[in-house]
C-alpha cells in the first residue's frame, strides 16, 4: 500500500480534504481528470459567504413561485422536459424549505459557516494567496425603496446570527461603488464575507500547498472504484491506483461511483453560468454586487467583471443555453456599464445539491474505508476548508470541531431506497 488515502476530485472540497489529511500525517494522493479547481471551483461567484446563514430554500412567497413557474424568471430557469426527472428531488427540497425545517438546517450548518473565514484565513496565509482576497464584504443592491425595506426587515430578523451589515442610501452606495447607475437606489452592505478575485487560482494555490506538504497530485479520469481485500482500487485512464481508504469528492459526479455500490443518494444538479465583461471606460467595482430582485451576481475578477447566474434545472450534459445569461445581462446593464464580453461562449458549471440543503460529509455507511464529501450546492467555495477539517478529524479519530451527524449520508437511508436525480 503506497498511499493511505486517495482523494477523488480536486475541486475546492477534495483539495481541502487532502490538505487536512496530509497535515495530520497521512500519506495522501489527490486525483482529478483536470488540474485542480477547473470546474465549479473555478467558475463560481467568489463569495466566501459568512453572511449566508440560511440555505437557499424554495421560496414560499406566491408571486415568486409564480414567476419561477412561468419560466421567465432570471433567477431560476428550467427545461420543461427535465422537470419530471427531478420532480421527486424538487418535492423533497420544497418539504425541507418549510420555515421550521429550514431553520433547523440553518442551525446545523451554522458551526461550519461560523468557522469558514478562520479556516480560509489560515490556508490563505500559508499558501501566500493574500493577493486574491478582498475582506470588504459584498453589497446587495435594490431597485426600489420597498425592496430595500423588505430586505432590511429580513436582515433584522437574522439578529440571532450576529451578522454585520449596514444600510447604504443612494449617496453612501455611490461613494462605495461610483460606477453603479441611478437604478440602484440603495443597498445593504454585508461586511463579514470575503470575496476571491480568482476562485480557481485559490483552489490551485491550496493544492500547491498540499503538494508542498508532501501530498501527491495525479492526473486521470476515474472510470470506477472497487473494494479489494486490503482496501480500494481506482481505475483511471492513466492506470490503476490503490489505497487503504478513499474519499469521494467529485461534486456532482460523486453519485456515479456510489450507485454501483448500492447507494442511492438524492443528489440534484443546479446548473449555473458565468461570463466576463470588460467594464466601459474607467468603470470598476470594489465589491461583489448581488441584484437579489433579479437574481445574479456581478463580481470583479482577474478575468473581468464576472456575471454569474442563478439556477438552471436541466440535464447536466445538456448543451449550454444562453437564455438565462441574456436575461441577466440585460438587467445587469441597467445597473452597471458592462462593456464587451471577454469570451465568446459562456462558462457552464454544475452545483451538487442535496434536497435538505446540507452537504454530505462523512463515511459511506455500507463500506469500510469509504468516505464522502459533496453536495455543497451554493457554498462549496465557502465550506471547502471547514469540510476538509471536519472530514479529516473524523477520519483520524480526532474530536470533530462541529457535530458531523447532520451531514451523515445515513440521513438518506442505508439501503437503495431513494431516487438519484441527475
Ligand atoms: C455559478 C455558480 C456560482 C457559485 N458561487 C459560489 C460562491 O460565490 N460561493 C460559494 O461558496 N460557492 C459558490 N458556488 C458553489 C461552488 O462553486 C461549489 O459548491 C464548489 O465549487 C464545489 O466544489 P467541489 O470540489 O465539490 O466540486 P468541483 O469544483 O465541481 O470539483 C469536482 C472535481 O471532480 C473532478 N471530476 C469529476 N469527475 C471526474 C472523473 N470521472 N475523474 C476525475 N476527476 C473527476 C472535476 O474535474 C472537478 O475538479 C457557485 C457555483 C456556481 C455554479
Amino acid at each position: 500500500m503506497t498511499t493511505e488515502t486517495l482523494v477523488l476530485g480536486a475541486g475546492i472540497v477534495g483539495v481541502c480534504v487532502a490538505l487536512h489529511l496530509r497535515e495530520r500525517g497521512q500519506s495522501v494522493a489527490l486525483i482529478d481528470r483536470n488540474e485542480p479547481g477547473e470546474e465549479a471551483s473555478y467558475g463560481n461567484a467568489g463569495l466566501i459567504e459568512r453572511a449566508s446563514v440560511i440555505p437557499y430554500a424554495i421560496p414560499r412567497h406566491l408571486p415568486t413561485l409564480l414567476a419561477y413557474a412561468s419560466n421567465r424568471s432570471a433567477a431560476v430557469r428550467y427545461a420543461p422536459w427535465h422537470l419530471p426527472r427531478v420532480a421527486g428531488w424538487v418535492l423533497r427540497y420544497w418539504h425541507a424549505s418549510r420555515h421550521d425545517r429550514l431553520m433547523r438546517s440553518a442551525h446545523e450548518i451554522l458551526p461550519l459557516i461560523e468557522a469558514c473565514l478562520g479556516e480560509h484565513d489560515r490556508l490563505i496565509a500559508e499558501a501566500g494567496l493574500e493577493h486574491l482576497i478582498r475582506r470588504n464584504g459584498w453589497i446587495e443592491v435594490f431597485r426600489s425603496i420597498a425592496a430595500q425595506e423588505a430586505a432590511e426587515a429580513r436582515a433584522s430578523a437574522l439578529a440571532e446570527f450576529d451578522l454585520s451589515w449596514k444600510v447604504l442610501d443612494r449617496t453612501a452606495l455611490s461613494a462605495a461603488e461610483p460606477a453603479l447607475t441611478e437604478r440602484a437606489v440603495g443597498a445593504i452592505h454585508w461586511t463579514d464575507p470575503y470575496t476571491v478575485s480568482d476562485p480557481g487560482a485559490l483552489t490551485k494555490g491550496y493544492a500547491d500547498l498540499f503538494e508542498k506538504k508532501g501530498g501527491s497530485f495525479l492526473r486521470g479520469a476515474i472510470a470506477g472504484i472497487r473494494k479489494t481485500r486490503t482496501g480500494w482500487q481506482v481505475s483511471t485512464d492513466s492506470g490503476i491506483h490503490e489505497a487503504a481508504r478513499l474519499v469521494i469528492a467529485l461534486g456532482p459526479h460523486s453519485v456515479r461511483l456510489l450507485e454501483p455500490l448500492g447507494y442511492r443518494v438524492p443528489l440534484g444538479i443546479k446548473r449555473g453560468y458565468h461570463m466576463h465583461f470588460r467594464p466601459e471606460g474607467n468603470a470598476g467595482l470594489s465589491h461583489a454586487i448581488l441584484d437579489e430582485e433579479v437574481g445574479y451576481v456581478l463580481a470583479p475578477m482577474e478575468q473581468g467583471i464576472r456575471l454569474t447566474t442563478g439556477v438552471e434545472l436541466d440535464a447536466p450534459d445538456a448543451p449550454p443555453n444562453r437564455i438565462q445569461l441574456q436575461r441577466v445581462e440585460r438587467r445587469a446593464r441597467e445597473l452597471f456599464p458592462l462593456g464587451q464580453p471577454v469570451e465568446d461562449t459562456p462558462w457552464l458549471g454544475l452545483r451538487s445539491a442535496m434536497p435538505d440543503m446540507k452537504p454530505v460529509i462523512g463515511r459511506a455507511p455500507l463500506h469500510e474505508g469509504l468516505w464522502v464529501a459533496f453536495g455543497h450546492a451554493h457554498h462549496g467555495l465557502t465550506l471547502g476548508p471547514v469540510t476538509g477539517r471536519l472530514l479529516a478529524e473524523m477520519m483520524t479519530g480526532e474530536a470533530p470541531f462541529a457535530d458531523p451527524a447532520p451531514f451523515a449520508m445515513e440521513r438518506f437511508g442505508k439501503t437503495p431506497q431513494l431516487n438519484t436525480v441527475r
Side-chain angles (χ1 to χ4, degrees):
M1 211 50 78
T2 51
T3 308
E4 279 173 285
T5 307
L6 272 169
V7 179
L8 313 186
I12 186 74
V13 172
V15 166
C16 290
V17 170
L19 180 51
H20 270 275
L21 285 169
R22 182 65 208 128
E23 287 178 335
R24 285 161 179 77
Q26 302 277 307
S27 101
V28 187
L30 180 60
I31 308 185
D32 202 292
R33 60 187 172 196
N34 301 311
E35 290 298 312
E38 300 204 333
E39 296 205 356
S41 300
Y42 157 73
N44 57 67
L47 311 179
I48 299 183
E49 240 311 51
R50 175 62 184 86
S52 259
V53 288
I54 310 292
Y56 287 127
I58 300 181
R60 303 229 155 190
H61 176 239
L62 191 61
T64 312
L65 278 177
L66 290 175
Y68 288 179
S70 75
N71 216 6
R72 295 212 179 86
S73 148
V76 177
R77 183 196 162 262
Y78 57 88
W81 50 89
H82 184 61
L83 272 194
R85 294 191 66 192
V86 292
W89 176 83
V90 172
L91 277 176
R92 292 175 68 152
Y93 206 127
W94 167 260
H95 177 82
S97 297
R98 201 178 74 181
H99 183 72
D100 55 336
R101 298 187 187 113
L102 182 63
M103 292 310 282
R104 192 167 63 225
S105 293
H107 281 281
E108 286 170 342
I109 303 169
L110 190 60
L112 307 194
I113 297 279
E114 284 175 338
C116 73
L117 298 181
E119 291 298 320
H120 268 289
D121 274 334
R122 182 179 71 80
L123 299 185
I124 291 162
E126 271 203 60
L129 297 170
E130 208 53 60
H131 58 285
L132 299 176
I133 307 300
R134 288 195 187 86
R135 290 185 172 76
N136 63 353
W138 55 269
I139 293 181
E140 183 178 2
V141 296
F142 305 102
R143 292 162 179 261
S144 71
I145 296 296
Q148 171 149 8
E149 286 173 355
E152 282 173 39
R154 286 196 299 275
S156 301
L158 298 178
E160 65 178 297
F161 295 102
D162 204 21
L163 303 175
S164 305
W165 54 280
K166 54 189 181 195
V167 174
L168 306 183
D169 62 12
R170 175 63 218 166
T171 312
L173 179 58
S174 296
E177 289 295 356
L180 290 180
T181 70
E182 296 285 322
R183 290 297 295 273
V185 299
I188 290 180
H189 184 179
W190 297 89
T191 54
D192 294 312
Y194 300 166
T195 57
V196 184
S197 62
D198 189 343
L202 186 84
T203 308
K204 287 183 197 303
Y206 290 176
D208 289 345
L209 180 62
F210 161 71
E211 288 193 88
K212 228 163 66 195
K213 289 181 183 243
S216 21
F217 175 67
L218 310 168
R219 268 303 272 276
I222 298 154
I225 58 175
R226 194 171 71 82
K227 182 97 180 85
T228 63
R229 203 171 43 80
T230 50
W232 289 89
Q233 203 173 65
V234 178
S235 37
T236 75
D237 62 355
S238 61
I240 291 188
H241 304 283
E242 294 199 337
R245 300 190 298 183
L246 286 190
V247 178
I248 300 180
L250 295 165
H253 311 281
S254 302
V255 288
R256 297 222 170 105
L257 297 188
L258 290 167
E259 275 174 347
L261 298 176
Y263 298 98
R264 297 289 180 272
V265 185
L267 181 145
I269 289 178
K270 295 178 170 187
R271 298 175 16 138
Y273 296 89
H274 85 219
M275 191 108 178
H276 296 107
F277 293 84
R278 291 182 190 89
E280 280 201 336
N282 294 329
L285 288 174
S286 311
H287 304 82
I289 303 293
L290 169 71
D291 183 350
E292 171 74 27
E293 289 164 79
V294 178
Y296 64 85
V297 173
L298 275 181
M301 294 276 175
E302 298 290 321
Q303 300 88 344
I305 302 288
R306 181 176 289 184
L307 172 64
T308 49
T309 68
V311 170
E312 183 183 59
L313 296 180
D314 199 348
D317 50 0
N321 182 320
R322 286 183 179 251
I323 294 177
Q324 210 175 8
L325 254 179
Q326 284 164 353
R327 284 179 187 158
V328 294
E329 182 188 331
R330 189 170 52 77
R331 302 300 307 275
R333 286 182 184 281
E334 296 168 357
L335 290 189
F336 180 84
L338 289 175
Q340 290 301 310
V342 172
E343 306 95 353
D344 295 331
T345 49
W347 172 88
L348 167 63
L350 309 178
R351 307 173 181 95
S352 61
M354 310 316 297
D356 60 2
M357 292 163 271
K358 294 181 295 184
V360 185
I361 306 167
R363 59 172 76 243
L366 302 177
H367 293 87
E368 185 64 30
L370 186 61
W371 299 78
V372 295
F374 58 81
H376 292 73
H378 298 264
H379 292 127
L381 179 69
T382 304
L383 298 178
V386 287
T387 298
R389 177 173 167 190
L390 185 63
L391 193 65
E393 286 170 346
M394 293 167 78
M395 290 176 71
T396 56
E398 278 176 49
F401 81 93
D403 180 7
F407 312 111
M409 203 164 149
E410 284 94 325
R411 69 192 196 264
F412 303 115
K414 279 192 181 179
T415 47
Q417 49 183 269
L418 298 158
N419 296 328
T420 300
V421 183
R422 289 260 171 75

